[in-house]
Amino acid sequence: MRQVSPAVAHAMESGSFDMSVTLRAFYGNEVTLQDVPVVDWSIESEEGREVPTSGSVDAVYADDAGRSISPRSFTDHLAPFGQEVSILVTVSADEFEETIELGNLKIQETPEAKDANVQLGSRVLTASSRVKLSLMDRLESVRAAGFTGATGAKYKTCWAELAHLSGMRVVRSVDDRALPRVEYEMAEGGRLTACRAIAAHLGGTLYVRSDGALTVIPATPGPVVRRFKIGTESLVLSEWARALSTGGLYNEIVGVFEDDDGNEVWVPPAQIVDGPLSVHGPLGHRTKYHTSNLVKTRDDARKVLREVLQQSSTLTAVEIPVEVVIDLRLEIGDTVELEQDEETLRGRIVKVAHSSNRKTTMTIAVTASFPEPNSGRADAFL
């Protein structure tokens, strides 16, 4: 969850605030444009996607000297050749005003750029430029930068290697792990594939924070960050269908691993041996094979198989769409609760989008529900 001041948190929860959006453009460390008004925008993140965050903005800029900023060559303002933008949302209500950085994103494309020109004597001046930008987070640059020769891990720990491979500042969100000797694949997207494998070894997925730093979203649910009451004006969710499926559910995990010399690293399968999911019960064996070139020892193999079994032996999450009044704090990986009259649902946000229509739309993977008398209870926000 994005960290904001208590005043902004209260405004987001009440839905009573004004907001305006601008962008600041960078070329390397140089700020090339700032305070550029944005008239339409959206930003979306999805957990597990190679490049989790993407977005679009429609910016309108009036240069004091009547110059156009519509890009036409590699180094022009807002050209999609190494330039980045920071999306800044200014939230105001009552007597406060605060600016939130929604994301630092790479410009991937300028699908449309046009100028409104006026003639002043013999000169043609640009009254304003309107430029639409397609954006992606910094992992797109990691995906594009392949290995140019045989390359192995430089460091012996995951976080250090992740920083080295990505070239990004990292923020540690989970405990570090030892990294075995490994050779990376020379293929398109190989560098990003290696980073994703390290994130999985750490127990999560890659994510670029709003400030541009790389982190890992843990696969395990975190503390509840917000609670919504179904049926209020702040939440649009008329109904959701319950469904159970054996798809994606396993009670036996078999490891396929090799050590540095190519010898098999064999350990017994991780199994559920009691309860309704037992391999000895009516459900029978539901086997999943797990492989990783980062597992080189039997101790690591046992640990990884136990973790994979834990993740694979829960009921497949019921994913439900939710739309609320915009709350810019919400991010993928956040755990939220949804109140119904006699039941509360808990789940993780696996997809979230914020946009200029003042709505936040989410896909919530609901994996737990528990009886709770919520009818007549006032909305609760955590």
Side-chain angles (χ1 to χ4, degrees):
M1 191 180 212
R2 290 183 181 89
Q3 298 302 305
V4 298
S5 70
V8 172
H10 177 74
M12 293 291 166
E13 291 165 3
S14 68
S16 300
F17 61 91
D18 295 319
M19 67 178 189
S20 60
V21 181
T22 60
L23 66 80
R24 181 188 301 130
F26 300 86
Y27 190 52
N29 293 324
E30 179 188 358
V31 177
T32 56
L33 291 171
Q34 56 186 352
D35 300 325
V36 179
V38 172
V39 295
D40 192 24
W41 61 276
S42 66
I43 184 168
E44 174 188 290
S45 300
E46 183 173 354
E47 188 176 34
R49 198 163 57 186
E50 283 195 347
V51 180
T53 302
S54 60
S56 63
V57 298
D58 190 352
V60 177
Y61 183 76
D63 183 74
D64 292 339
R67 294 169 296 193
S68 167
I69 64 162
S70 296
R72 296 178 177 83
S73 65
F74 292 118
T75 57
D76 284 352
H77 291 311
L78 304 180
F81 303 102
Q83 297 193 49
E84 297 186 8
V85 296
S86 177
I87 302 175
L88 304 171
V89 182
T90 299
V91 177
S92 57
D94 297 329
E95 297 180 356
F96 87 92
E97 182 177 281
E98 184 174 327
T99 298
I100 301 171
E101 189 171 40
L102 199 56
N104 278 275
L105 303 170
K106 305 280 290 188
I107 301 175
Q108 291 302 115
E109 184 183 7
T110 53
E112 184 178 338
K114 55 187 178 182
D115 297 328
N117 295 324
V118 296
Q119 188 162 354
L120 185 62
S122 60
R123 300 174 60 197
V124 176
L125 303 178
T126 298
S128 65
S129 298
R130 186 163 186 163
V131 183
K132 295 183 178 180
L133 305 175
S134 297
L135 310 168
M136 300 188 82
D137 70 49
R138 291 174 176 174
L139 284 174
E140 175 58 29
S141 295
V142 179
R143 179 165 62 181
F147 298 113
T148 57
T151 304
K154 181 177 180 179
Y155 295 97
K156 295 182 179 180
T157 59
C158 288
W159 282 109
E161 185 68 7
L162 202 53
H164 166 66
L165 286 177
S166 66
M168 298 170 63
R169 179 172 64 88
V170 299
V171 174
R172 300 188 180 200
S173 54
V174 295
D175 292 338
D176 208 353
R177 276 189 171 179
L179 186 68
R181 190 177 69 197
V182 62
E183 293 293 322
Y184 299 128
E185 182 183 8
M186 287 184 59
E188 289 187 13
R191 184 180 297 272
L192 180 56
T193 298
C195 290
R196 285 164 56 85
I198 292 172
H201 194 56
L202 285 168
T205 58
L206 295 174
Y207 180 59
V208 180
R209 301 179 355 149
S210 298
D211 60 4
L214 182 63
T215 192
V216 171
I217 298 175
T220 54
V224 176
V225 300
R226 186 164 179 187
R227 184 177 176 112
F228 298 97
K229 185 175 179 63
I230 295 176
T232 64
E233 293 182 357
S234 64
L235 178 63
V236 179
L237 176 62
S238 57
E239 62 181 14
W240 67 290
R242 297 179 183 273
L244 294 177
S245 171
T246 55
L249 185 144
Y250 302 94
N251 57 11
E252 180 177 63
I253 311 298
V254 176
V256 182
F257 309 119
E258 291 183 351
D259 63 19
D260 290 333
D261 298 320
N263 300 314
E264 180 185 13
V265 177
W266 185 88
V267 294
Q271 296 177 325
I272 296 176
V273 295
D274 52 29
L277 300 184
S278 171
V279 294
H280 306 305
L283 180 64
H285 290 255
R286 293 188 60 81
T287 306
K288 178 180 181 178
Y289 296 92
H290 181 76
T291 184
S292 171
N293 65 351
L294 301 182
V295 175
K296 302 292 185 180
T297 68
R298 296 185 68 186
D299 285 345
D300 281 346
R302 292 189 188 95
K303 184 175 183 179
V304 167
L305 292 187
R306 287 195 300 267
E307 291 174 350
V308 175
L309 179 63
Q310 183 178 10
Q311 296 167 12
S312 303
S313 59
T314 57
L315 290 176
T316 302
V318 177
E319 294 191 349
I320 58 174
V322 175
E323 182 179 275
V324 299
V325 174
I326 192 166
D327 187 341
L328 299 172
R329 300 173 300 164
L330 297 173
E331 299 181 284
I332 53 174
D334 286 345
T335 299
V336 297
E337 288 183 343
L338 308 176
E339 287 186 14
Q340 298 189 108
D341 286 345
E342 302 298 330
E343 182 182 38
T344 296
L345 315 175
R346 181 177 296 163
R348 295 174 74 250
I349 300 175
V350 294
K351 187 175 182 179
V352 63
H354 309 290
S355 65
S356 51
N357 66 2
R358 295 181 62 91
K359 298 292 184 182
T360 292
T361 57
M362 301 173 282
T363 299
I364 299 176
V366 177
T367 55
S369 63
F370 46 93
E372 192 173 36
N374 296 316
S375 56
R377 172 179 171 175
D379 289 355
F381 299 101
L382 303 181

